[in-house]
Amino acid sequence: MDVGGEPNPRLSIEFCGLRFATPLVLLSGCVGFGEEYTRIRGFSNRDAGAVCLKGTTLAPRLGNPPHRICETPAGMLNAIGLQNPGVDHVVREILPKLDFGETRFIANVSGSTVEEYYEVTRRFDDSPIDAMEINISCPNVKEGGVAFGNDAAMSARVVAACRRATRKPLITKLSPNQTDIASNARACLESGSDAFSVINTLMGMVVDVERRTPVIGNNQGGLSGPAIKPIALLKVHQVYQVCRDHRVPIIGQGGVAGAQDALEFLIAGASAVGVGTALFYDPLILPKINRGIADYLDRHGIASVSELTGSLRLHAPEASACGCAPSHPGG
Amino acid sequence: MSDQAHRDTIFLEDAEVLSQEAYPAEQYFLRLRAPECARHALPGGFAHLRCDPLLPMRRPLSIMRVSPEEGWVEFLYKAVGEGTRLLAAKRPGDRVSLLGPIGRPFEPHPERPRVLLIGGGVGIPPMIFLADALRRDRRFRPLALFGSEVPFPFQARPSQHLVGGLPAEVIAAMPLLDDWGVPSRLASLQGYAGCFSGYVTDLARHWLDRLDAAARAQVEVFACGPHPMLAATAAVARDFDLPCQVSLEEFMACAVGGCAGCVVEVRTPAGPAMKRVCVDGPVFDAYQVFAD
């Protein structure tokens, strides 16, 4: 049992100047405000390098009507709609109860206007939070969210506003629901983003054929789980091409459900790996993934997990059967 | 650190299937070996089961009975979808990942010893768990009223316990509760022998109508079942000015409060709020959930 043990020191990474005990990051929206999963015996935030808190807006939000979730083949849809008690409540009532000795805590900044992103960031800046993730990719709110994230110029404006509000590390969470994620990443990087989360959920729908209505109360929702992993891996690979020379780290995420998945993300260019939906399957999955990564490092004689980042060796274009560049499959 | 009292209260167990019995209309009794859940579960609590490795999302099932001594937990469920059908295929010796116990339990109040338990369909199990707890606590006098529009998942028999204020022809009872000394009666629109012909909430209203004011002031209502039945239960409780606790269900992902996927809108003094069915419930004050 890994319960109670410290993760292998070779799993430790440095992320925007913060030490993560492992490359695993618990994803925003899956673990509430950091304490919920500790209800389960054997679960420890120490098994994660960082924990991203639930998306937070300036004012409290009730979120979307039920049903908010629905299982899909190899995944699930969700449309929570950024239910949260507002940034002041989070800073005053929730953060003081978190044990910052256990892991790094990252706030998730959300909003409907550029000004709101600025203001939420400013209020988190004046708190013990370790870093902030800018959520410009929430697919489940009518204003802001993905409406900003799918437009490079708007994304850049949001990042620039947040940058003015803090010197803490800023991680921009990119949407997969856009044509050119690399251009968006470049714009955000130039506006001061220190890191990226790649990817947020993909928009989807499930239909109740008896009622002829969408199952999800919000009609559409964000798809997560193993179904989206290949898409996420390619996006990480694409964003890594932008980030590599700037040494800007990526939290790769999307369908990670085991050590093999985590290794794929690291090799494709991620410095850290997000775990979300898989917790719903197996709440005690973190030590298993950590152990699997450590075993891989042993087997390959690799001293530190950070050596894996971006170690992907692409096939030469001429080796490709269709003759097209591997970064443009089917092109 | 402060406020970490909730830590380590839910257990992940690789539970062995001890027995699974099929009843008409795809209803199943499932008994799992899960000693930690059995030791810590309280009436109203549920477990989140991984029905099959093919379907990784878990399904929440109300706990019907536990034996802390023998280390088992029992459920009654209806196979309604892919997950519960896969669960129904499990045989003794198979393993099911169980996360539990979860949720805020029912809170009976000794100053209201006449406990009225109303269960509809697959809402019956938590009422059985509560009846089991109350029969061990001599302060309470529970009466269970169950409704179903498919055959009850047990062989009903005439009750050994007299209950005043009910129609004389309504004699069918659940044998398990009868043996426990807990009076029960059944209701259905399907014309089952010995059952009240109507909704279970109409049977409840019939009984409450015939109580005198002093007796009625000792009643508290507990209910679990389909949403329309719970709404009708809340209306009955309101008419008789009785406290009422209801157990709700909703699609769930994490079941530990992390994802806010399973919310219900409730009324609070501060205005409407979205509460998580998993850890803020599944038991709620009926008046917070059902408007006038």
Side-chain angles (χ1 to χ4, degrees), chain A:
Chain A
M1 294 289 284
D2 288 71
V3 173
E6 289 287 322
N8 188 319
R10 286 192 293 157
L11 296 183
S12 171
I13 63 164
E14 199 206 281
F15 190 95
C16 296
L18 301 168
R19 182 190 166 273
F20 287 6
T22 97
L24 302 187
V25 175
L26 296 182
L27 294 179
S28 180
C30 298
V31 292
F33 283 97
E35 266 296 316
E36 277 75 4
Y37 262 85
T38 67
R39 295 172 199 275
I40 300 170
R41 191 176 63 177
F43 181 93
S44 172
N45 280 332
R46 293 181 190 276
D47 290 320
V51 175
C52 290
L53 305 182
K54 173 76 183 153
T56 302
T57 49
L58 189 56
R61 280 180 64 102
L62 284 177
N64 290 330
H67 300 304
R68 288 179 167 184
I69 60 151
C70 175
E71 184 165 26
T72 60
M76 62 175 280
L77 279 189
N78 88 80
I80 310 300
L82 289 175
Q83 178 179 347
N84 79 95
V87 63
D88 288 341
H89 179 91
V90 174
V91 169
R92 275 205 297 266
E93 305 294 331
I94 295 176
L95 297 189
K97 291 174 183 162
L98 296 178
D99 187 348
F100 282 76
E102 290 184 336
T103 189
R104 308 278 75 79
F105 288 104
I106 300 172
N108 181 283
V109 174
S110 301
S112 306
T113 63
V114 174
E115 293 71 28
E116 184 177 2
Y117 279 96
Y118 169 84
E119 194 55 36
V120 174
T121 304
R122 194 183 66 76
R123 295 188 196 191
F124 273 125
D125 184 62
D126 190 22
S127 84
I129 206 78
D130 290 301
M132 280 168 262
E133 181 176 64
I134 311 171
N135 184 359
I136 49 168
S137 44
C138 177
N140 297 324
V141 292
K142 290 189 179 64
E143 295 160 329
V146 78
F148 289 156
N150 286 350
D151 180 299
M154 278 305 301
S155 300
R157 275 186 60 199
V158 174
V159 172
C162 295
R163 182 76 285 166
R164 282 195 298 277
T166 188
R167 300 183 67 175
K168 292 186 178 189
L170 280 178
I171 307 155
T172 307
K173 189 161 188 171
L174 297 176
S175 166
N177 302 298
Q178 57 181 330
T179 324
D180 188 354
I181 197 169
S183 297
N184 194 314
R186 194 173 291 109
C188 293
L189 198 154
E190 287 166 358
S191 297
S193 187
D194 299 305
F196 292 100
S197 284
V198 183
I199 54 176
N200 207 323
T201 53
L202 289 135
M203 286 177 181
M205 180 186 272
V206 174
V207 173
D208 180 332
V209 297
E210 296 302 323
R211 295 185 172 84
R212 300 192 199 181
T213 61
V215 171
I216 295 285
N218 185 52
N219 296 322
Q220 63 182 47
L223 179 65
S224 65
I228 73 167
K229 193 188 79 172
I231 299 168
L233 273 170
L234 179 60
K235 301 290 184 193
V236 166
H237 169 67
Q238 291 168 342
V239 174
Y240 181 67
Q241 308 311 309
V242 175
C243 292
R244 182 178 42 205
D245 295 341
H246 304 278
R247 306 182 69 80
V248 164
I250 297 167
I251 306 173
Q253 52 199 264
V256 172
Q260 167 84 26
D261 303 325
L263 289 163
E264 287 187 61
F265 275 96
L266 293 165
I267 292 166
S271 296
V273 179
V275 180
T277 302
L279 286 172
F280 307 157
Y281 306 170
D282 179 1
L284 302 184
I285 200 170
L286 293 182
K288 294 172 192 166
I289 300 178
N290 283 331
R291 190 171 49 223
I293 297 173
D295 288 349
Y296 179 90
L297 297 182
D298 282 343
R299 220 165 53 242
H300 292 265
I302 298 169
S304 164
V305 69
S306 54
E307 291 177 31
L308 286 176
T309 298
S311 58
L312 184 69
R313 295 189 300 252
L314 292 176
H315 301 296
E318 54 271 27
S320 158
C322 69
C324 59
S327 59
H328 297 92

